[in-house]
Amino acid sequence: QVQLVESGGGSVQAGGSLNLTCTASYIDSTNCMGWFRQVPGKEREGVAAIGPDGGGPFYADSVKGRFTISQDKGKNTMTLQMNSLKPDDTAMYYCAAGSDTLACVGPVVAGSSIDVSALDAWGQGTLVTVSS
């Protein structure tokens, strides 16, 4: 099973930028990979995803135009460049991968609930804090 480790979180002021990295033990091109976030007391939500064979990318409406997801199969990494950060972006950010594309992309584009068990692997999360 793929292992995922996130890095790059931190504290920034509103309007600032952060670049998150998800380092995978390997990248299976048949899998979907995505970024998700969660605030304590709220449901985890989809942020951005890359579909199988590089399909997409897909973004939640709340981050379109500000966040960019990319994947480097040579380095086994997936990144999330976050610009123009807002206090509402404060959350724990997780990367995930899995063969169930609907479970990966659905929460991003449709805001559907996330079935954590439907994705094969999750990282431990990296905290992003945006102050006003």
Side-chain angles (χ1 to χ4, degrees):
Q1 184 175 351
V2 64
Q3 305 293 319
L4 304 173
V5 178
E6 303 95 335
S7 61
S11 298
V12 296
Q13 290 190 324
S17 299
L18 282 173
N19 189 51
L20 305 184
T21 298
C22 175
T23 301
S25 53
Y26 65 90
I27 288 182
D28 184 340
S29 61
T30 66
N31 281 355
C32 176
M33 292 187 72
W35 286 97
F36 303 83
R37 66 187 182 187
Q38 188 169 21
V39 176
K42 294 188 176 181
E43 286 192 1
R44 193 168 297 188
E45 63 178 14
V47 176
I50 294 176
D53 297 318
F58 306 94
Y59 296 97
D61 287 344
S62 60
V63 306
K64 280 181 182 176
R66 300 188 298 123
F67 291 10
T68 302
I69 188 172
S70 61
Q71 195 179 63
D72 187 332
K73 294 178 182 177
K75 296 181 178 179
N76 288 329
T77 58
M78 177 179 67
T79 62
L80 185 69
Q81 176 64 42
M82 305 187 296
N83 298 325
S84 301
L85 282 162
K86 305 175 181 180
D88 284 348
D89 295 317
T90 295
M92 186 71 79
Y93 283 71
Y94 300 90
C95 66
S99 57
D100 189 335
T101 301
L102 183 61
C104 177
V105 176
V108 175
V109 299
S112 54
S113 295
I114 295 172
D115 181 353
V116 174
S117 64
L119 290 172
D120 302 325
W122 290 85
Q124 83 290 349
T126 186
L127 182 62
V128 172
T129 303
V130 185
S131 59
S132 58

